[in-house]
Amino acid sequence: MDRDSYVYKTPASKLVQVAAIAAEYKGRPDMLMTVIIRAQKVVSAFSKEVASVIAREMDIPMNKVYSFITFYAMLSVKPRGRYIVRMCKSAPCHVHGAQAVVQALEDQLGISIGETTEDGRFTLEYCPCLGLCEISPAIMINEHVYGNLTPESVRDIIKQYIREDVE
Ligand code: FES
């Protein structure tokens, strides 16, 4: 874990909400994934404070919580954008033109993979196979999936998010 991971401060009101979720599963380490998934709807990043609140309320070791969080690539320890644009990095998508789609995304958003736009709206990142190989190349924006992408079609999708603030 690099030191940058601990820089972000989670607002106290969010910590209270996470604490309430975690307290429902006190003494249930088997429910850690459930708590983390629910907490992810409250906080945009899993800071040190969030991990320690979960550990305290569930009564499980802090290092267990943090190693669990960092194990899963789709969970973040840094603040991320409101829209997480995940580009599949696996071979079938690559073969079907993922690189051109990534280039279009980077050009349009003005960021590279792994970065967040200055306005905090979009984060661009790679992910493993999304299970959508039959419609590769594919991306996921929050819970929405898009396939058979081209540079043109992905630009239109992003334009729609910019214009309408898709939920
Ligand atoms: S390889 Fe991209 S969705 Fe499966």
Side-chain angles (χ1 to χ4, degrees), residues 88-94 128-138:
C88 171
K89 202 187 178 187
S90 299
C93 279
H94 184 73
C129 176
L130 292 163
L132 303 164
C133 314
E134 70 283 0
I135 56 165
S136 60

Side-chain angles (χ1 to χ4, degrees), residues 104-130:
L105 285 167
E106 290 185 333
D107 291 347
Q108 187 175 18
L109 295 173
I111 54 173
S112 301
I113 288 278
E115 294 180 345
T116 297
T117 54
E118 268 182 25
D119 63 2
R121 263 171 121 187
F122 294 93
T123 294
L124 202 50
E125 59 189 32
Y126 279 126
C127 67
C129 176
L130 292 163

Side-chain angles (χ1 to χ4, degrees), residues 1-9 45-49 66 70 76-79 114:
M1 179 66 39
D2 62 319
R3 295 187 62 217
D4 286 352
S5 309
Y6 292 94
V7 171
Y8 176 64
K9 285 261 174 240
F46 283 88
S47 63
K48 185 180 179 184
E49 299 102 312
Y66 219 74
T70 51
S76 177
V77 292
K78 290 180 182 173

